[in-house]
Amino acid sequence: DIQMTQSPSTLSASVGDSVTITCRASQSISTWLAWYQQKPGKAPKLLIYRASDLESGVPSRFSGSGSETEFRLNISSLQPDDFATYFCQQYTSHSQYSFGQGTKLEIK
Amino acid sequence: QLQLQESGPGLVKSSETLSLTCTVSGASVSDYYWSWIRQTPGKGLEWIGRIYPSGNTNYHPSLKSRVTISVDRSKNQFSLRLTTATAADTAVYYCARDYDFWGPWGQGVLVTVSS
């Protein structure tokens, strides 16, 4: 099984800051990676797929990069609505998916 | 605008069958792949299985023996059945459109398996 490890687990930042969340895969996954945002009591929301493709309707301050085993989610100019938990997910093959453990982005 | 909504009992007795339905609006269930995913504080997010427009399915290997996903095209719904439920199946269950990644998702339903 492919293990996904996110860092940091918690990130404190202020409105207007730029932040980066990292996701590492235990083996190469090419660019088969998605990022999600989840707020308390709500379902995850797709932000990025194929490592860097922005889902329709997602603000351009969100961007993704990386390939093989290391990936990054960048959020520039943080807005109050961005404070949430973020997950990465690999999808190299049907039925063998795995998620990162999540990064909680909190207000400093 | 595509929307999904889960429905079903919030409480299931241990050893009985957990059954949930996802109602799709804004698209036909015949147009996309669809999945069920669950989330627990301990194990995080776990994909359960998917159904294809053809009605074919595939499931998480660890749940395969207990899971059935089916579709009702007349109601534009798809459903999840998980037999022999245990406390370990207590989770928030989501349905979602499936591209191997998922979006949009339903709002989720908490299912508690009690003894």
Side-chain angles (χ1 to χ4, degrees):
Chain A
D1 290 4
I2 298 174
Q3 308 301 317
M4 307 301 293
T5 304
Q6 286 182 234
S7 60
S9 295
T10 305
L11 180 56
S12 297
S14 301
V15 172
D17 287 351
S18 294
V19 298
T20 298
I21 298 169
T22 298
C23 179
R24 290 187 172 88
S26 60
Q27 64 190 71
S28 175
I29 59 170
S30 183
T31 56
W32 302 118
L33 185 100
W35 289 97
Y36 301 87
Q37 176 194 68
Q38 186 175 32
K39 297 179 180 178
K42 301 294 186 182
K45 174 187 174 183
L46 177 65
L47 299 175
I48 286 169
Y49 58 94
R50 209 180 298 137
S52 60
D53 289 348
L54 198 65
E55 171 70 348
S56 175
V58 174
S60 59
R61 62 180 181 273
F62 291 90
S63 63
S65 63
S67 64
E68 308 296 339
T69 61
E70 185 156 333
F71 302 86
R72 288 163 298 281
L73 173 69
N74 298 288
I75 313 172
S76 62
S77 187
L78 278 169
Q79 300 300 300
D81 192 51
D82 299 338
F83 293 93
T85 298
Y86 293 85
F87 295 95
C88 60
Q89 176 235 333
Q90 66 83 16
Y91 53 101
T92 50
S93 66
H94 282 342
S95 82
Q96 298 291 342
Y97 307 107
S98 50
F99 290 86
Q101 80 280 14
T103 294
K104 184 177 181 181
L105 176 57
E106 58 183 26
I107 300 176
K108 186 183 291 183
Chain B
Q1 180 186 359
L2 177 60
Q3 293 183 311
L4 299 89
Q5 174 135 9
E6 304 88 350
S7 58
L11 186 62
V12 175
K13 291 184 179 177
S14 184
S15 80
E16 296 190 346
T17 296
L18 184 160
S19 295
L20 297 172
T21 296
C22 182
T23 301
V24 177
S25 58
S28 168
V29 289
S30 298
D31 289 343
Y32 297 101
Y33 302 177
W34 307 96
S35 271
W36 286 97
I37 300 150
R38 66 184 182 181
Q39 185 174 30
T40 62
K43 290 187 68 177
L45 289 157
E46 179 181 42
W47 176 75
I48 299 169
R50 77 163 49 82
I51 188 161
Y52 296 90
S54 63
N56 290 342
T57 54
N58 70 316
Y59 303 125
H60 192 293
S62 71
L63 298 170
K64 189 175 183 177
S65 64
R66 299 194 292 130
V67 173
T68 302
I69 297 176
S70 59
V71 66
D72 184 336
R73 301 181 201 283
S74 68
K75 295 181 179 179
N76 217 36
Q77 296 174 335
F78 62 102
S79 298
L80 169 71
R81 291 183 76 250
L82 181 65
T83 60
T84 322
T86 71
D89 296 313
T90 294
V92 177
Y93 286 76
Y94 297 100
C95 57
R97 181 175 58 180
D98 182 326
Y99 292 111
D100 275 333
F101 50 89
W102 302 287
W105 300 50
Q107 85 281 1
V109 59
L110 172 62
V111 180
T112 302
V113 180
S114 71
S115 54

